[in-house]
């Protein structure tokens, strides 16, 4: 009888350990999946910002004066308004992905911190006019949110120096 009880107890312990092991394995797998998702999203982001379409759109927007009104932006050329829509849509998507913690904020800030503030300065008035025109304050809301988070981060870290100056003493590790 005791052998049967011992076996039953061992089976119960083994079953419990199996369940705990399975849960630990599942947690590890979920963490690895989330990390892989972040890495994939980061690579996609890099591809987007290095695309010829983004470079062309940024070149067009950079030539605008700050706070360009809608009438001036659309009068310039259809290409200018298309560039504005493209850049705003990219930053809108990035803002949502950062908020949902799919893209790491620090990577986004490092990749676009300067460019996003330039684009916002150029397009702020145009976006605000679209919001009034459509009676929809949510137009490009995540773009604005991302701009504000980048500005806050720069104030917190006092990152007034560009990377080439702030990290000039950085060295590759020696093997």
């Amino acid at each position: 009888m005791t052998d049967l009880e011992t076996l039953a107890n061992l089976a119960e312990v083994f079953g419990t350990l199996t369940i705990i092991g399975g849960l630990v394995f599942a947690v590890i797998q979920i963490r690895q999946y989330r990390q892989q998702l972040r890495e994939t999203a980061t690579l996609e982001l890099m591809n987007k910002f290095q695309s010829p379409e983004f470079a062309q759109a940024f070149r067009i927007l950079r030539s605008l004066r700050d706070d360009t009104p809608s009438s001036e932006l659309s009068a310039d050329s259809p290409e200018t308004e298309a560039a504005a829509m493209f850049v705003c849509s990219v930053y809108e998507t990035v803002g949502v992905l950062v908020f949902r913690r799919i893209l790491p904020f620090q990577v986004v800030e490092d990749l676009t911190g300067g460019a996003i503030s330039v684009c916002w300065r150029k397009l702020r008035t145009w976006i605000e006019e679209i919001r009034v025109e459509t009676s929809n304050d949510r137009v490009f809301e995540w773009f604005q949110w991302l701009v504000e988070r980048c500005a806050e981060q720069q104030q917190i870290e006092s990152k007034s120096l560009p990377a080439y100056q702030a990290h000039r003493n950085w060295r590759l590790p020696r093997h």
Side-chain angles (χ1 to χ4, degrees):
M1 203 63 161
T2 57
D3 286 341
L4 220 51
E5 283 180 27
T6 303
L7 285 174
N9 288 339
L10 285 174
E12 191 174 323
V13 168
F14 182 73
T16 302
L17 289 175
T18 302
I19 290 170
I20 291 170
L23 289 173
V24 168
F25 180 75
V27 167
I28 290 169
Q29 288 294 302
I30 289 170
R31 285 185 177 168
Q32 287 177 343
Y33 173 74
R34 286 183 179 164
Q35 180 62 32
Q36 185 179 18
L37 182 62
R38 278 192 288 278
E39 289 170 2
T40 301
T42 300
L43 290 173
E44 288 295 320
L45 172 68
M46 288 175 58
N47 288 336
K48 184 61 80 175
F49 287 124
Q50 293 175 354
S51 72
E53 297 84 9
F54 191 86
Q56 174 68 7
F58 184 74
R59 183 192 63 75
I60 291 168
L61 297 180
R62 193 181 59 135
S63 68
L64 298 174
R65 65 183 178 87
D66 287 359
D67 293 312
T68 301
S70 181
S71 59
E72 195 176 305
L73 191 125
S74 57
D76 190 30
S77 78
E79 183 183 57
T80 303
E81 195 161 24
M85 289 298 273
F86 179 74
V87 166
C88 287
S89 296
V90 168
Y91 283 129
E92 185 79 356
T93 302
V94 171
V96 170
L97 294 175
V98 168
F99 178 77
R100 300 278 177 212
R101 300 196 188 322
I102 295 170
L103 278 174
F105 172 76
Q106 196 56 56
V107 171
V108 171
E109 206 272 330
D110 287 345
L111 283 174
T112 80
I116 194 171
S117 62
V118 169
C119 291
W120 181 253
R121 280 196 328 262
K122 307 295 183 177
L123 299 174
R124 176 182 41 225
T125 299
W126 177 72
I127 291 168
E128 289 170 355
E129 289 175 359
I130 291 174
R131 289 174 179 171
V132 169
E133 179 184 306
T134 62
S135 301
N136 186 353
D137 287 342
R138 299 186 72 183
V139 173
F140 300 124
E141 63 186 329
W142 291 108
F143 177 21
Q144 182 174 351
W145 177 87
L146 186 60
V147 168
E148 291 170 357
R149 300 301 72 78
C150 287
E152 285 174 3
Q153 187 67 20
Q154 288 175 354
Q155 286 177 345
I156 290 169
E157 294 181 358
S158 299
K159 283 179 77 173
S160 57
L161 292 177
Y164 64 88
Q165 291 176 347
H167 305 290
R168 72 175 142 256
N169 294 327
W170 181 87
R171 299 287 179 255
L172 288 171
R174 293 186 180 159
H175 296 300

